[in-house]
């Protein structure tokens, strides 16, 4: 026991995440809560040991609680706190911790207030949401009717959140994150190098020597996604010194992979593009077709984008390409909508009609239908440039519509990035 | 044992899903594989008992295998089959099943072929991917270099897939789905009623009598998301008769909730809108600002949208609202970009410049900044209509940018739906 207590002093605090809801198991909902929680916990120096997704089922929830009790310092549960009959988490927790549900006046006043903002009164089922386990610490939910709950038992903390993502995030940030900051002793530090335009294996090959010389307290992982690869260095050690060690190795890697590196940590490619535009005081617009506005949407979604993003003209039909983007009917007839000639005219039309300094245009056959022998599904033309210089590129992708759209949007953003760096 | 075997005859086949990869635990990647697999397995009559997300860690993977062996008929593992050093799944499986890795010529020929399509040769690490467990059935991966593997032990099937989603899906559909179809005896049947425009509790209240009369073999679940609620009925029974029972109850529910029902099962709101447009032979375009093209993107993403979707004009700046959408400078000066007057002019400009029969326009302050006392963050104006009739609406949302954009896009799609049904 003494040895265990000493080990506890040096050991990283560990958490188990339990997401509750049959909808997760049958895939009607993608579990974004556990990935968000995992990210936040790691930022706060807490190692996530395991994530479990279970049904709204008493036995399954109890199993998860028992596993957490034996193996972790924190058990985070999301889901099952709603006002309908399949929400059983609260009763299960009350039974597990041998406590009763008690009416909490403050929680009910809050529920009444939330409804009054819409000119309504709570229903009986919402009143039931104000019955909370007596031994739990109530975590006030500013964004919804389901209060969060915190239980302590044998040095393990159990935190129950509603499953609605923005409510869960609000509760975590309000009530839990500040307490976790206080608990930090050993520290996990991540540095992620974000690359685009080269495959995982060749990147790994290029930095092989550095990787072979990593000290034992630093690990490396490769996280590929469509068209880009994130390289993550993770160091465990003393806060204030492990960061420098990790950053040194990151710098060495960046020196070798520089043409492909667009950002770090959570910086999205479109954020990186936004920075480059802002630095140069340039405005951008997009002229799209098969990507259905995705490129512009990605650029525009970044907070503050309105300082460099003018807008996006998605023109599916040939008529719209002519009317909105000024593409010539003859060009369309001669070369077809999916051609270098047409994307160049889309680009020029976009620059002229929006007043943008730089634009990107795209026209292609995303699939699954619409291909021909000369232009099979996956044929996608792009153009990027300004009034003095234009770069074009033809992609030859496969038949998956979703992949084609997403990959070519990423490719387009990288074209913009490279164009701006080249200027 | 005899009783267990009889129970096995009547019991639903069960699966455990194990997603492998530290990136899932620290939230750098959202786990979409388990939700996709869960959905497909349920369609095929297989109950998903639990989903585990674990690290690239031998002990954790073995735990998951042991849990699966005791509690399920199928164990699906995704992840950890890549060519870099943190990919340990294959070695762990070979050890667990007491078999050795052997060079598989056919797999390596396929890897060479994949590289040759890009004019390249495989690296040594890719050659390593051709070493596969001797006792495993190799599942050819047409979309990547990591072969899938199937092991059988004590009536349990263990299937290992790469973690890259489109590769995993390809392998499942090619090699596993056909076999599972053959195994179906008892059957899970879901009917999901998709609603928009009313909250979960009021919907539940409205159908309370029906819910109280559901037979024991049918369960109900409420799946809320931004602006919409799915109501899922799940029946377990004999294929060929349980479907009718579930559909009868679904029909009763639809009768009561009709104004809010837009579709069933996996039909997206934007698909439903697409059907309505196609039925009426109408063409639509969108004029957007704060949603950054999301409404048009959602409409356009549906395969076949080009038959009713003309395009989308996202005009962030006031200049673009004037130049592209013909909004009057005086209107902008007098009422501001976020006003009923401006969204009506955006709508008319969109109809005129695109030739669409119907359009929707939106202008608002998504946040987090940009608000004022008269127009706080979350103020969003929408207009929907044609040349003869226009409907406008003002939303008053909170401060979360992402929620505001997504919610108002859903709201806009529902405006279009209601407009079309009203015509």
């Amino acid at each position: 026991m003494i040895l265990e207590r000493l080990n506890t002093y040096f050991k990283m605090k560990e958490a188990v995440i339990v997401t509750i809801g049959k909808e997760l198991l049958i895939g009607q909902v993608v579990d974004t809560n556990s990935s968000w929680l995992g990210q936040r916990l790691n930022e706060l120096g807490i190692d996530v040991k395991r994530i479990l997704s279970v049904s709204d089922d008493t036995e399954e929830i109890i199993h998860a609680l028992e596993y957490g009790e034996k193996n972790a310092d924190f058990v985070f549960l999301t889901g099952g706190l709603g006002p309908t009959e399949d929400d059983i988490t609260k009763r299960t927790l009350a039974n597990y911790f041998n406590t009763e549900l008690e009416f909490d006046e403050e929680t009910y006043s809050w529920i009444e207030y939330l409804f009054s903002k819409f000119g309504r009164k709570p229903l009986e089922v919402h009143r039931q949401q104000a019955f909370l386990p007596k031994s739990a610490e109530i975590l006030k939910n500013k964004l919804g009717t389901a209060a969060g709950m915190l239980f302590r038992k044998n040095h393990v903390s159990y935190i129950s959140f509603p499953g609605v993502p923005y409510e869960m995030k609000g509760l975590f940030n309000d009530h839990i994150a500040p307490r976790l900051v206080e608990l930090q002793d050993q520290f996990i530090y991540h540095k992620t190098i974000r690359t685009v335009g080269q495959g995982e294996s060749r990147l790994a090959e290029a930095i092989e020597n550095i990787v072979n010389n990593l000290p034992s307290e630093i690990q490396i992982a490769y996280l590929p996604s469509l068209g880009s690869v994130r390289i993550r260095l993770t160091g465990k050690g003393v806060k204030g010194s492990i960061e420098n060690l990790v950053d040194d190795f990151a710098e060495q890697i960046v020196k070798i992979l520089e043409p492909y590196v667009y950002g770090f940590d959570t910086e999205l490619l479109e954020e990186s593009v936004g920075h480059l535009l802002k630095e140069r005081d340039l405005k951008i617009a997009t002229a799209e077709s098969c990507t259905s506005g995705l490129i512009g949407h990605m650029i525009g979604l970044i907070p503050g984008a309105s300082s460099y993003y003018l807008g996006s003209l998605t023109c599916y039909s040939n008529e719209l390409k002519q009317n909105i983007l000024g593409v010539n009917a003859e060009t369309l007839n001669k070369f077809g909508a999916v051609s270098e000639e047409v994307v160049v005219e889309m680009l020029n039309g976009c620059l002229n009609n929006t007043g943008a300094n730089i634009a990107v245009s795209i026209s292609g056959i995303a699939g699954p239908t619409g291909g021909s022998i000369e232009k099979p599904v996956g044929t996608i033309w792009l153009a990027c440039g300004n009034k003095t210089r234009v770069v074009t590129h033809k992609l030859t992708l496969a038949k998956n519509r979703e992949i084609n759209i997403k990959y070519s949007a990423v490719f387009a953003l990288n074209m913009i990035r490279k164009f701006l760096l080249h200027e």
Side-chain angles (χ1 to χ4, degrees), chain A:
Chain A
M1 265 301 277
I2 298 172
L3 205 60
E4 274 174 354
R5 284 204 177 278
L6 282 173
N7 284 344
T8 308
Y9 181 80
F10 292 114
K11 195 165 70 80
M12 184 76 53
K13 296 235 177 283
E14 290 183 306
V16 169
I17 300 172
V18 186
T19 57
I20 298 163
K22 183 74 180 178
E23 66 274 13
L24 297 161
L25 298 183
I26 70 161
Q28 277 216 347
V29 173
V30 171
D31 176 14
T32 58
N33 282 340
S34 54
S35 73
W36 186 88
L37 270 174
Q39 191 168 311
R40 290 290 280 128
L41 288 168
N42 256 263
E43 285 164 15
L44 294 161
I46 302 212
D47 208 13
V48 175
K49 195 171 162 63
R50 189 183 292 181
I51 301 172
L52 289 144
S53 291
V54 300
S55 238
D56 305 275
D57 176 281
T58 308
E59 271 185 51
E60 285 287 297
I61 296 173
I62 288 175
H63 158 87
L65 292 168
E66 287 174 343
Y67 171 79
E69 187 167 342
K70 291 197 195 80
N71 294 284
D73 304 288
F74 299 94
V75 181
F76 289 90
L77 307 108
T78 72
L81 298 184
T84 51
E85 59 160 63
D86 42 306
D87 297 302
I88 62 159
T89 301
K90 190 170 65 178
R91 282 196 305 275
T92 308
L93 287 169
N95 291 338
Y96 187 80
F97 293 107
N98 272 321
T99 185
E100 286 170 358
L101 298 181
E102 191 178 64
F103 186 74
D104 186 68
E105 191 63 62
E106 196 184 325
T107 299
Y108 189 62
S109 299
W110 182 251
I111 294 174
E112 281 183 309
Y113 167 69
L114 286 176
F115 273 83
S116 71
K117 293 210 314 180
F118 297 93
R120 289 179 166 172
K121 288 198 182 306
L123 303 174
E124 174 57 29
V125 287
H126 298 111
R127 195 183 148 79
Q128 287 302 313
Q129 287 187 295
F131 280 84
L132 295 163
K134 200 167 167 183
S135 67
E137 178 187 336
I138 310 302
L139 310 175
K140 177 173 177 174
N141 180 1
K142 293 190 293 196
L143 300 170
T145 55
M149 296 168 277
L150 187 150
F151 300 84
R152 291 273 305 166
K153 182 183 172 192
N154 296 336
H155 305 292
V156 181
S157 299
Y158 304 77
I159 302 105
S160 170
F161 291 140
V164 181
Y166 63 91
E167 293 186 32
M168 181 275 295
K169 294 173 188 177
L171 281 161
F172 183 92
N173 287 333
D174 284 352
H175 298 286
I176 304 301
R179 301 184 204 212
L180 293 178
V181 169
E182 286 174 24
L183 286 173
Q184 284 180 350
D185 47 20
Q186 218 203 13
F187 191 55
I188 298 175
Y189 179 72
H190 302 285
K191 191 72 182 175
T192 301
I193 301 160
R194 300 178 73 110
T195 75
V196 61
Q198 184 55 275
E200 180 182 341
S201 311
R202 284 187 198 281
L203 293 169
E205 195 188 25
I207 61 173
E208 207 175 345
N209 289 338
I210 301 173
V211 173
N212 290 340
N213 286 320
L214 286 174
S216 58
E217 56 263 44
I218 299 185
Q219 285 185 312
I220 189 166
Y222 300 84
L223 311 167
S225 58
L226 270 184
S228 66
V229 179
R230 285 165 296 158
I231 301 169
R232 189 190 75 224
L233 293 174
T234 303
K236 285 192 192 181
V238 178
K239 190 174 182 182
S241 72
I242 191 70
E243 300 97 311
N244 292 332
L245 192 62
V246 170
D247 285 347
D248 278 346
F249 280 98
E251 236 178 88
Q252 295 179 42
I253 290 174
V254 169
K255 270 206 181 79
I256 294 184
L257 301 182
E258 200 180 344
Y260 306 109
V261 177
Y262 71 82
F264 298 90
D265 301 319
T266 54
E267 180 178 358
L268 299 169
L269 179 54
E270 49 268 42
E271 275 181 275
S272 170
V273 166
H275 289 145
L276 291 170
L277 290 164
K278 255 198 300 222
E279 276 170 16
R280 292 152 177 70
D281 203 23
L282 297 174
K283 308 244 187 283
I284 191 168
T286 76
E288 307 186 42
S289 186
C290 55
T291 34
S292 195
L294 181 59
I295 304 167
H297 180 68
M298 290 169 82
I299 296 174
L301 213 57
I302 304 303
S306 54
S307 66
Y308 52 84
Y309 172 58
L310 292 179
S312 168
L313 309 174
T314 294
C315 302
Y316 252 37
S317 66
N318 283 358
E319 285 78 18
L320 237 68
K321 286 183 176 75
Q322 294 174 61
N323 297 344
I324 305 286
L325 291 170
V327 177
N328 289 311
E330 301 80 49
T331 318
L332 282 162
N333 287 335
K334 190 171 176 191
F335 299 101
V338 179
S339 62
E340 184 176 29
E341 291 78 4
V342 164
V343 289
V344 170
E345 288 195 15
M346 286 171 70
L347 183 83
N348 290 328
C350 183
L351 289 167
N352 291 335
N353 294 348
T354 65
N357 308 109
I358 176 176
V360 69
S361 64
I362 186 166
S363 178
I365 307 158
T369 55
S372 63
I373 293 183
E374 305 90 30
K375 296 180 193 177
V377 167
T379 305
I380 297 174
W381 271 102
L382 299 97
C384 176
N386 51 26
K387 298 237 169 189
T388 50
R389 186 170 77 94
V390 174
V391 177
T392 61
H393 191 98
K394 176 183 171 189
L395 287 173
T396 313
L397 305 179
K399 295 198 193 309
N400 185 305
R401 181 184 180 81
E402 199 185 337
I403 289 178
N404 291 348
I405 289 173
K406 287 184 175 170
Y407 183 89
S408 51
V410 171
F411 194 92
L413 288 171
N414 198 31
M415 271 183 96
I416 302 168
R417 185 185 76 93
K418 281 157 60 169
F419 189 91
L420 290 168
L421 289 172
H422 187 274
E423 289 288 287

mmCIF file of all heavy atoms in Angstrom, chain A residues 287-289 312-329 332 337 342 345-346 349-350 353:
data_model
loop_
_atom_site.group_PDB
_atom_site.id
_atom_site.type_symbol
_atom_site.label_atom_id
_atom_site.label_comp_id
_atom_site.label_asym_id
_atom_site.label_seq_id
_atom_site.Cartn_x
_atom_site.Cartn_y
_atom_site.Cartn_z
ATOM 1 N N ALA A 287 -14.422 30.178 -56.554
ATOM 2 C CA ALA A 287 -15.402 29.871 -57.594
ATOM 3 C C ALA A 287 -15.478 28.355 -57.681
ATOM 4 O O ALA A 287 -14.526 27.710 -58.110
ATOM 5 C CB ALA A 287 -14.976 30.462 -58.930
ATOM 6 N N GLU A 288 -16.572 27.783 -57.237
ATOM 7 C CA GLU A 288 -16.627 26.335 -57.083
ATOM 8 C C GLU A 288 -17.748 25.698 -57.880
ATOM 9 O O GLU A 288 -18.657 26.362 -58.367
ATOM 10 C CB GLU A 288 -16.786 25.986 -55.594
ATOM 11 C CG GLU A 288 -15.746 26.641 -54.717
ATOM 12 C CD GLU A 288 -15.805 26.184 -53.277
ATOM 13 O OE1 GLU A 288 -15.985 24.967 -53.042
ATOM 14 O OE2 GLU A 288 -15.674 27.039 -52.387
ATOM 15 N N SER A 289 -17.618 24.395 -58.001
ATOM 16 C CA SER A 289 -18.666 23.638 -58.668
ATOM 17 C C SER A 289 -18.865 22.337 -57.897
ATOM 18 O O SER A 289 -19.696 22.267 -57.006
ATOM 19 C CB SER A 289 -18.294 23.389 -60.124
ATOM 20 O OG SER A 289 -19.358 22.775 -60.795
ATOM 21 N N SER A 312 -17.963 33.255 -51.827
ATOM 22 C CA SER A 312 -17.787 32.048 -52.607
ATOM 23 C C SER A 312 -18.923 31.930 -53.603
ATOM 24 O O SER A 312 -20.086 32.115 -53.240
ATOM 25 C CB SER A 312 -17.787 30.859 -51.643
ATOM 26 O OG SER A 312 -17.901 29.668 -52.342
ATOM 27 N N LEU A 313 -18.572 31.662 -54.854
ATOM 28 C CA LEU A 313 -19.596 31.537 -55.890
ATOM 29 C C LEU A 313 -19.622 30.101 -56.382
ATOM 30 O O LEU A 313 -18.727 29.665 -57.101
ATOM 31 C CB LEU A 313 -19.274 32.495 -57.045
ATOM 32 C CG LEU A 313 -19.008 33.942 -56.605
ATOM 33 C CD1 LEU A 313 -18.548 34.801 -57.786
ATOM 34 C CD2 LEU A 313 -20.265 34.552 -55.985
ATOM 35 N N THR A 314 -20.626 29.368 -55.901
ATOM 36 C CA THR A 314 -20.765 27.973 -56.323
ATOM 37 C C THR A 314 -21.733 27.914 -57.482
ATOM 38 O O THR A 314 -22.917 28.245 -57.336
ATOM 39 C CB THR A 314 -21.288 27.099 -55.174
ATOM 40 O OG1 THR A 314 -20.296 27.052 -54.152
ATOM 41 C CG2 THR A 314 -21.552 25.681 -55.664
ATOM 42 N N CYS A 315 -21.212 27.526 -58.635
ATOM 43 C CA CYS A 315 -22.025 27.511 -59.843
ATOM 44 C C CYS A 315 -22.036 26.116 -60.437
ATOM 45 O O CYS A 315 -21.113 25.712 -61.121
ATOM 46 C CB CYS A 315 -21.461 28.512 -60.864
ATOM 47 S SG CYS A 315 -21.406 30.188 -60.197
ATOM 48 N N TYR A 316 -23.097 25.392 -60.103
ATOM 49 C CA TYR A 316 -23.210 24.026 -60.568
ATOM 50 C C TYR A 316 -23.452 23.968 -62.067
ATOM 51 O O TYR A 316 -22.799 23.252 -62.798
ATOM 52 C CB TYR A 316 -24.378 23.340 -59.852
ATOM 53 C CG TYR A 316 -23.976 22.325 -58.832
ATOM 54 C CD1 TYR A 316 -22.868 22.515 -58.034
ATOM 55 C CD2 TYR A 316 -24.709 21.165 -58.660
ATOM 56 C CE1 TYR A 316 -22.500 21.591 -57.086
ATOM 57 C CE2 TYR A 316 -24.346 20.227 -57.712
ATOM 58 C CZ TYR A 316 -23.238 20.445 -56.932
ATOM 59 O OH TYR A 316 -22.874 19.519 -55.982
ATOM 60 N N SER A 317 -24.461 24.720 -62.517
ATOM 61 C CA SER A 317 -24.896 24.609 -63.912
ATOM 62 C C SER A 317 -24.009 25.450 -64.817
ATOM 63 O O SER A 317 -23.375 26.415 -64.381
ATOM 64 C CB SER A 317 -26.340 25.087 -64.029
ATOM 65 O OG SER A 317 -26.404 26.479 -63.736
ATOM 66 N N ASN A 318 -23.968 25.080 -66.087
ATOM 67 C CA ASN A 318 -23.211 25.863 -67.069
ATOM 68 C C ASN A 318 -23.756 27.279 -67.192
ATOM 69 O O ASN A 318 -22.993 28.238 -67.370
ATOM 70 C CB ASN A 318 -23.237 25.156 -68.434
ATOM 71 C CG ASN A 318 -22.275 23.977 -68.467
ATOM 72 O OD1 ASN A 318 -21.576 23.709 -67.499
ATOM 73 N ND2 ASN A 318 -22.234 23.277 -69.591
ATOM 74 N N GLU A 319 -25.081 27.409 -67.083
ATOM 75 C CA GLU A 319 -25.694 28.745 -67.162
ATOM 76 C C GLU A 319 -25.131 29.654 -66.067
ATOM 77 O O GLU A 319 -24.746 30.788 -66.313
ATOM 78 C CB GLU A 319 -27.222 28.672 -66.997
ATOM 79 C CG GLU A 319 -27.963 28.140 -68.200
ATOM 80 C CD GLU A 319 -27.857 26.622 -68.298
ATOM 81 O OE1 GLU A 319 -27.520 25.982 -67.272
ATOM 82 O OE2 GLU A 319 -28.102 26.105 -69.395
ATOM 83 N N LEU A 320 -25.101 29.121 -64.855
ATOM 84 C CA LEU A 320 -24.591 29.934 -63.759
ATOM 85 C C LEU A 320 -23.108 30.251 -63.930
ATOM 86 O O LEU A 320 -22.652 31.345 -63.583
ATOM 87 C CB LEU A 320 -24.824 29.223 -62.410
ATOM 88 C CG LEU A 320 -25.639 30.064 -61.420
ATOM 89 C CD1 LEU A 320 -27.051 30.224 -61.908
ATOM 90 C CD2 LEU A 320 -25.601 29.474 -60.031
ATOM 91 N N LYS A 321 -22.354 29.304 -64.478
ATOM 92 C CA LYS A 321 -20.930 29.577 -64.733
ATOM 93 C C LYS A 321 -20.810 30.759 -65.695
ATOM 94 O O LYS A 321 -19.905 31.599 -65.571
ATOM 95 C CB LYS A 321 -20.232 28.346 -65.315
ATOM 96 C CG LYS A 321 -19.968 27.224 -64.291
ATOM 97 C CD LYS A 321 -19.208 26.051 -64.934
ATOM 98 C CE LYS A 321 -18.853 24.974 -63.910
ATOM 99 N NZ LYS A 321 -20.001 24.131 -63.504
ATOM 100 N N GLN A 322 -21.728 30.838 -66.645
ATOM 101 C CA GLN A 322 -21.689 31.952 -67.591
ATOM 102 C C GLN A 322 -22.201 33.248 -66.951
ATOM 103 O O GLN A 322 -21.552 34.287 -67.013
ATOM 104 C CB GLN A 322 -22.559 31.635 -68.827
ATOM 105 C CG GLN A 322 -22.021 30.476 -69.656
ATOM 106 C CD GLN A 322 -22.959 30.093 -70.778
ATOM 107 O OE1 GLN A 322 -23.247 30.903 -71.656
ATOM 108 N NE2 GLN A 322 -23.435 28.859 -70.771
ATOM 109 N N ASN A 323 -23.388 33.145 -66.299
ATOM 110 C CA ASN A 323 -24.015 34.370 -65.788
ATOM 111 C C ASN A 323 -23.267 34.982 -64.622
ATOM 112 O O ASN A 323 -23.118 36.197 -64.533
ATOM 113 C CB ASN A 323 -25.453 34.076 -65.345
ATOM 114 C CG ASN A 323 -26.326 33.636 -66.515
ATOM 115 O OD1 ASN A 323 -25.942 33.833 -67.673
ATOM 116 N ND2 ASN A 323 -27.458 33.044 -66.213
ATOM 117 N N ILE A 324 -22.821 34.141 -63.693
ATOM 118 C CA ILE A 324 -22.202 34.664 -62.481
ATOM 119 C C ILE A 324 -20.692 34.816 -62.637
ATOM 120 O O ILE A 324 -20.103 35.755 -62.120
ATOM 121 C CB ILE A 324 -22.499 33.737 -61.276
ATOM 122 C CG1 ILE A 324 -23.997 33.533 -61.101
ATOM 123 C CG2 ILE A 324 -21.863 34.260 -60.001
ATOM 124 C CD1 ILE A 324 -24.736 34.719 -60.542
ATOM 125 N N LEU A 325 -20.059 33.881 -63.353
ATOM 126 C CA LEU A 325 -18.594 33.886 -63.437
ATOM 127 C C LEU A 325 -18.069 34.326 -64.802
ATOM 128 O O LEU A 325 -16.860 34.372 -65.015
ATOM 129 C CB LEU A 325 -18.039 32.497 -63.099
ATOM 130 C CG LEU A 325 -18.211 32.089 -61.633
ATOM 131 C CD1 LEU A 325 -17.870 30.612 -61.443
ATOM 132 C CD2 LEU A 325 -17.339 32.943 -60.717
ATOM 133 N N GLY A 326 -18.994 34.625 -65.719
ATOM 134 C CA GLY A 326 -18.547 35.145 -67.013
ATOM 135 C C GLY A 326 -17.791 34.153 -67.877
ATOM 136 O O GLY A 326 -17.016 34.538 -68.758
ATOM 137 N N VAL A 327 -17.974 32.879 -67.631
ATOM 138 C CA VAL A 327 -17.337 31.877 -68.498
ATOM 139 C C VAL A 327 -18.008 31.925 -69.868
ATOM 140 O O VAL A 327 -19.229 32.063 -69.977
ATOM 141 C CB VAL A 327 -17.476 30.460 -67.883
ATOM 142 C CG1 VAL A 327 -16.888 29.408 -68.822
ATOM 143 C CG2 VAL A 327 -16.804 30.399 -66.521
ATOM 144 N N ASN A 328 -17.189 31.835 -70.926
ATOM 145 C CA ASN A 328 -17.744 31.925 -72.274
ATOM 146 C C ASN A 328 -18.439 30.641 -72.702
ATOM 147 O O ASN A 328 -17.943 29.541 -72.449
ATOM 148 C CB ASN A 328 -16.618 32.222 -73.279
ATOM 149 C CG ASN A 328 -16.106 33.630 -73.143
ATOM 150 O OD1 ASN A 328 -16.893 34.582 -73.109
ATOM 151 N ND2 ASN A 328 -14.797 33.774 -73.025
ATOM 152 N N ALA A 329 -19.584 30.840 -73.379
ATOM 153 C CA ALA A 329 -20.329 29.680 -73.883
ATOM 154 C C ALA A 329 -19.466 28.842 -74.822
ATOM 155 O O ALA A 329 -19.510 27.608 -74.799
ATOM 156 C CB ALA A 329 -21.607 30.133 -74.573
ATOM 157 N N LEU A 332 -17.104 26.625 -72.939
ATOM 158 C CA LEU A 332 -17.833 25.491 -72.374
ATOM 159 C C LEU A 332 -18.141 24.454 -73.447
ATOM 160 O O LEU A 332 -17.964 23.249 -73.240
ATOM 161 C CB LEU A 332 -19.127 25.962 -71.708
ATOM 162 C CG LEU A 332 -18.972 26.607 -70.328
ATOM 163 C CD1 LEU A 332 -20.209 27.420 -69.958
ATOM 164 C CD2 LEU A 332 -18.694 25.548 -69.267
ATOM 165 N N ALA A 337 -17.210 21.623 -69.233
ATOM 166 C CA ALA A 337 -17.128 22.334 -67.948
ATOM 167 C C ALA A 337 -15.904 21.898 -67.146
ATOM 168 O O ALA A 337 -15.340 22.677 -66.381
ATOM 169 C CB ALA A 337 -18.402 22.102 -67.132
ATOM 170 N N VAL A 342 -11.817 26.144 -68.759
ATOM 171 C CA VAL A 342 -12.984 26.660 -68.029
ATOM 172 C C VAL A 342 -12.603 27.095 -66.616
ATOM 173 O O VAL A 342 -13.053 28.154 -66.152
ATOM 174 C CB VAL A 342 -14.125 25.608 -68.001
ATOM 175 C CG1 VAL A 342 -15.163 25.951 -66.937
ATOM 176 C CG2 VAL A 342 -14.790 25.525 -69.374
ATOM 177 N N GLU A 345 -11.135 30.496 -66.781
ATOM 178 C CA GLU A 345 -12.148 31.547 -66.972
ATOM 179 C C GLU A 345 -12.974 31.741 -65.701
ATOM 180 O O GLU A 345 -13.346 32.879 -65.355
ATOM 181 C CB GLU A 345 -13.053 31.191 -68.164
ATOM 182 C CG GLU A 345 -12.331 31.335 -69.506
ATOM 183 C CD GLU A 345 -13.277 31.343 -70.705
ATOM 184 O OE1 GLU A 345 -14.499 31.518 -70.532
ATOM 185 O OE2 GLU A 345 -12.765 31.185 -71.843
ATOM 186 N N MET A 346 -13.253 30.639 -64.969
ATOM 187 C CA MET A 346 -13.968 30.772 -63.687
ATOM 188 C C MET A 346 -13.134 31.635 -62.728
ATOM 189 O O MET A 346 -13.666 32.509 -62.032
ATOM 190 C CB MET A 346 -14.213 29.394 -63.062
ATOM 191 C CG MET A 346 -15.305 28.576 -63.729
ATOM 192 S SD MET A 346 -15.361 26.844 -63.120
ATOM 193 C CE MET A 346 -15.984 27.059 -61.440
ATOM 194 N N GLY A 349 -13.195 35.301 -63.893
ATOM 195 C CA GLY A 349 -14.524 35.845 -63.612
ATOM 196 C C GLY A 349 -14.707 36.122 -62.131
ATOM 197 O O GLY A 349 -15.271 37.141 -61.722
ATOM 198 N N CYS A 350 -14.194 35.224 -61.320
ATOM 199 C CA CYS A 350 -14.310 35.392 -59.867
ATOM 200 C C CYS A 350 -13.511 36.617 -59.424
ATOM 201 O O CYS A 350 -14.005 37.449 -58.665
ATOM 202 C CB CYS A 350 -13.798 34.134 -59.168
ATOM 203 S SG CYS A 350 -13.961 34.182 -57.384
ATOM 204 N N ASN A 353 -15.410 39.798 -60.708
ATOM 205 C CA ASN A 353 -16.726 40.097 -60.147
ATOM 206 C C ASN A 353 -16.734 40.281 -58.634
ATOM 207 O O ASN A 353 -17.696 40.808 -58.084
ATOM 208 C CB ASN A 353 -17.722 38.995 -60.525
ATOM 209 C CG ASN A 353 -17.974 38.961 -62.019
ATOM 210 O OD1 ASN A 353 -17.590 39.874 -62.742
ATOM 211 N ND2 ASN A 353 -18.618 37.907 -62.495
#
